């Protein structure tokens, strides 16, 4: 991937996008568009969290929770103007995702106002998927009903575990019994529901994890995400592990727990449509798919990332600095990078292989540096240089043999656990 390049000088009262964004304007109308809104506030910062979150809700004018919607309005309006200046087509948002932090630290009316801003600045597709993240103890029934009435279609609850001592290690603040209650409230409001799980927490036994899986299938949300705990450097949990206060998660333990999740969720009628995500048919998260399928999106809020054509951009992280830039009429973009052709192709394979459908083997001959790229094979055939590679991956049980015969690289269960290995093999 090419090194980050500095953002150009801001235009008075407006702010500008990198000049490379304009290069994607001609084909921009063919690329679906999404919006991500980052709400940085949390009641408690969990020990494993390395997201851009803050427990101080009163950071000063423009950066405090009570001012957040007004400041966000400034960014979204400036973004719309800047995209117009760059010649990008106006595209209604197909999906909107409000993440954090804990977005539901803000009143439901504020979240609805944020969605109204998306409508104003970009438009909203008639069948748009609109999601907010929430902690189980940060919502009530009236608030969920207000979100649904205001245009939200989906809520993703941070359940993480059904076992009290695991929740304590993760520093989550809700009681396990709260989760089925909030899911039922969301259902009554007409919202689709998702539950997030984390496995591999220090002290979590296989029995604990099985208990969480049983709780999830009993609750029966529309969608489930399950992620292995990663202890990021600089987090409080990282310090606890370094001091020997907590054990480091073990790869074999996490692999076993992944297999348990796939079995339990499969038996309950969920399909794995991406390595870490399962859904009832038709309830896949379209916003997540936007990332995996290389859509364009604008990310608004402190530290949010955007993607327009071949350019990635990221916002100033601290809410005070973010708000200060917006107050002067500038986009709060801290930096950007231009994605070259090789990097884009690598990412296409890396992300595509994670999906249920996998990737077309014939498309692997389209790499700019591929020796067979200038001599196309028979339609649907595997590029010659990859035939032994694919055969080896099938033989090792990492790729599905039947799918490979049909011209697609689709991960097996074992392959999902070794997706990076498969990606490296297919991009050699």
């Amino acid at each position: 991937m090419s090194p980050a390049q500095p953002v150009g000088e801001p235009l008075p009262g407006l702010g500008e996008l990198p000049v490379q964004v304009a290069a994607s304007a001609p084909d921009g109308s063919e690329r679906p568009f999404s919006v991500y809104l980052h709400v940085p506030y949390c009641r408690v910062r969990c020990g494993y969290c390395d997201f851009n979150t803050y427990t101080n809700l009163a950071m000063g004018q423009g950066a405090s929770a009570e001012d957040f919607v007004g400041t966000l309005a400034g960014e979204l309006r400036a973004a719309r103007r800047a995209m117009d200046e760059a010649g990008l087509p106006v595209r209604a948002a197909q999906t909107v995702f409000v993440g954090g932090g804990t977005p539901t630290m803000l009143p439901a009316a504020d979240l609805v106002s944020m969605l109204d801003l998306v409508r104003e600045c970009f438009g909203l597709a008639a069948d748009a998927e609109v999601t907010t993240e929430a902690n189980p103890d940060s919502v009530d029934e009236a608030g969920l009903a207000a979100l649904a009435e205001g245009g939200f279609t989906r809520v993703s609850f941070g359940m993480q575990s059904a076992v009290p001592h695991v929740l304590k290690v993760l520093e989550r603040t809700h009681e396990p019994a709260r989760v089925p209650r909030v899911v039922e409230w969301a259902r009554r409001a007409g919202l689709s529901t998702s539950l997030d799980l984390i496995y591999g927490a220090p002290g979590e036994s296989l029995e604990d994890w099985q208990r969480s899986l049983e709780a999830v299938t009993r609750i029966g949300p529309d969608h489930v995400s399950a992620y292995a705990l990663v202890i990021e450097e600089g987090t409080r949990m990282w310090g606890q592990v370094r001091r020997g206060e907590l054990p480091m998660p073990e790869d074999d333990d996490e692999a076993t727990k992944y297999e348990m999740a796939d079995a339990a969720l499969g038996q309950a009628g969920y399909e794995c449509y991406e390595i870490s995500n399962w859904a009832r048919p038709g309830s896949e998260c379209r916003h997540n798919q936007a990332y995996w399928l290389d859509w364009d999106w604008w990310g608004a809020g402190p530290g949010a990332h955007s993607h327009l054509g071949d350019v990635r951009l990221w916002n100033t992280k601290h809410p005070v600095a973010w708000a200060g830039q917006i107050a002067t009429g500038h986009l709060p973009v801290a930096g950007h990078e231009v994605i070259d052709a090789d990097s884009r192709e690598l990412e296409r394979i890396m992300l595509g292989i994670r999906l249920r459908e996998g990737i077309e083997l014939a498309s692997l001959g389209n790499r700019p540096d591929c020796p067979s790229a200038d001599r196309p094979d028979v339609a649907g055939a595997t590029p010659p240089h990859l035939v032994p590679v694919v055969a080896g991956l099938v033989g090792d049980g990492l790729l599905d043999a039947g799918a490979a015969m049909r011209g697609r690289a689709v991960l097996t269960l074992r392959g999902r656990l070794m997706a990076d290995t498969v990606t490296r093999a297919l991009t050699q």
Side-chain angles (χ1 to χ4, degrees), residues 119-240:
R119 287 194 185 94
E120 170 197 325
C121 296
F122 304 109
L124 193 65
D127 63 344
E129 175 193 270
V130 183
T131 305
T132 185
E133 293 181 329
N135 283 343
D137 56 0
S138 67
V139 297
D140 57 26
E141 188 167 12
L144 290 168
L147 290 175
E149 185 176 351
F152 281 78
T153 65
R154 188 172 179 275
V155 59
S156 179
F157 293 111
M159 173 181 175
Q160 318 310 3
S161 174
V163 180
H165 78 84
V166 176
L167 290 173
K168 183 176 181 181
V169 168
L170 295 174
E171 300 183 58
R172 305 295 292 180
T173 57
H174 68 273
E175 296 292 330
R178 179 80 175 176
V179 178
R181 189 177 310 155
V182 298
V183 169
E184 180 56 31
W185 290 343
R187 284 190 184 124
R188 290 178 192 169
L191 295 167
S192 179
T193 57
S194 180
L195 293 177
D196 282 359
L197 295 173
I198 290 178
Y199 57 91
E204 180 189 57
S205 66
L206 296 180
E207 292 75 17
D208 291 333
W209 179 234
Q210 184 63 37
R211 182 174 164 188
S212 292
L213 292 171
E214 290 171 355
V216 167
T217 56
R218 188 165 54 248
I219 295 168
D222 302 292
H223 182 281
V224 180
S225 299
Y227 302 104
L229 177 66
V230 177
I231 299 181
E232 301 287 357
E233 184 174 348
T235 62
R236 188 162 55 250
M237 185 172 281
W238 178 75
Q240 292 173 306

Side-chain angles (χ1 to χ4, degrees), residues 25-326:
D27 65 351
S29 60
E30 301 175 4
R31 298 169 62 86
F33 181 72
S34 290
V35 175
Y36 172 77
L37 306 174
H38 186 76
V39 178
Y41 311 109
C42 274
R43 184 155 67 92
V44 174
R45 185 176 174 86
C46 301
Y48 62 89
C49 178
D50 72 334
F51 294 161
N52 189 37
T53 64
Y54 304 84
T55 57
N56 181 3
L57 273 63
M59 285 183 269
Q61 186 172 3
S64 295
E66 63 183 13
D67 301 326
F68 185 79
V69 175
T71 307
L72 188 76
E75 178 181 350
L76 290 174
R77 289 166 182 157
R80 176 68 269 166
R81 292 193 299 267
M83 290 168 69
D84 290 342
E85 289 285 325
L88 291 178
V90 177
R91 291 162 290 173
Q94 301 295 315
T95 70
V96 179
F97 195 100
V98 187
T102 307
T104 44
M105 290 289 292
L106 299 180
D110 282 3
L111 298 182
V112 171
S113 293
M114 289 161 56
L115 181 58
D116 288 340
L117 286 167
V118 173
R119 287 194 185 94
E120 170 197 325
C121 296
F122 304 109
L124 193 65
D127 63 344
E129 175 193 270
V130 183
T131 305
T132 185
E133 293 181 329
N135 283 343
D137 56 0
S138 67
V139 297
D140 57 26
E141 188 167 12
L144 290 168
L147 290 175
E149 185 176 351
F152 281 78
T153 65
R154 188 172 179 275
V155 59
S156 179
F157 293 111
M159 173 181 175
Q160 318 310 3
S161 174
V163 180
H165 78 84
V166 176
L167 290 173
K168 183 176 181 181
V169 168
L170 295 174
E171 300 183 58
R172 305 295 292 180
T173 57
H174 68 273
E175 296 292 330
R178 179 80 175 176
V179 178
R181 189 177 310 155
V182 298
V183 169
E184 180 56 31
W185 290 343
R187 284 190 184 124
R188 290 178 192 169
L191 295 167
S192 179
T193 57
S194 180
L195 293 177
D196 282 359
L197 295 173
I198 290 178
Y199 57 91
E204 180 189 57
S205 66
L206 296 180
E207 292 75 17
D208 291 333
W209 179 234
Q210 184 63 37
R211 182 174 164 188
S212 292
L213 292 171
E214 290 171 355
V216 167
T217 56
R218 188 165 54 248
I219 295 168
D222 302 292
H223 182 281
V224 180
S225 299
Y227 302 104
L229 177 66
V230 177
I231 299 181
E232 301 287 357
E233 184 174 348
T235 62
R236 188 162 55 250
M237 185 172 281
W238 178 75
Q240 292 173 306
V241 169
R242 284 191 66 194
R243 293 189 297 270
E245 298 169 7
L246 292 174
M248 179 67 78
E250 297 180 359
D251 290 345
D252 287 347
D253 175 75
E254 291 189 334
T256 298
K257 288 172 178 172
Y258 180 86
E259 292 170 340
M260 292 170 62
D262 190 65
L265 294 171
Q267 290 170 6
Y270 296 89
E271 296 181 5
C272 182
Y273 71 97
E274 191 275 342
I275 287 179
S276 299
N277 290 272
W278 291 258
R280 298 194 185 282
S283 294
E284 296 84 356
C285 177
R286 289 165 50 202
H287 188 84
N288 283 346
Q289 291 175 318
Y291 297 145
W292 301 320
L293 296 175
D294 197 36
W295 292 12
D296 279 358
W297 69 86
W298 186 266
H305 285 226
S306 301
H307 175 250
L308 298 172
D310 292 331
V311 181
R312 282 202 192 86
L313 313 95
W314 50 92
N315 279 0
T316 299
K317 288 186 70 172
H318 198 282
V320 172
W322 168 78
Q325 289 176 294
I326 294 169

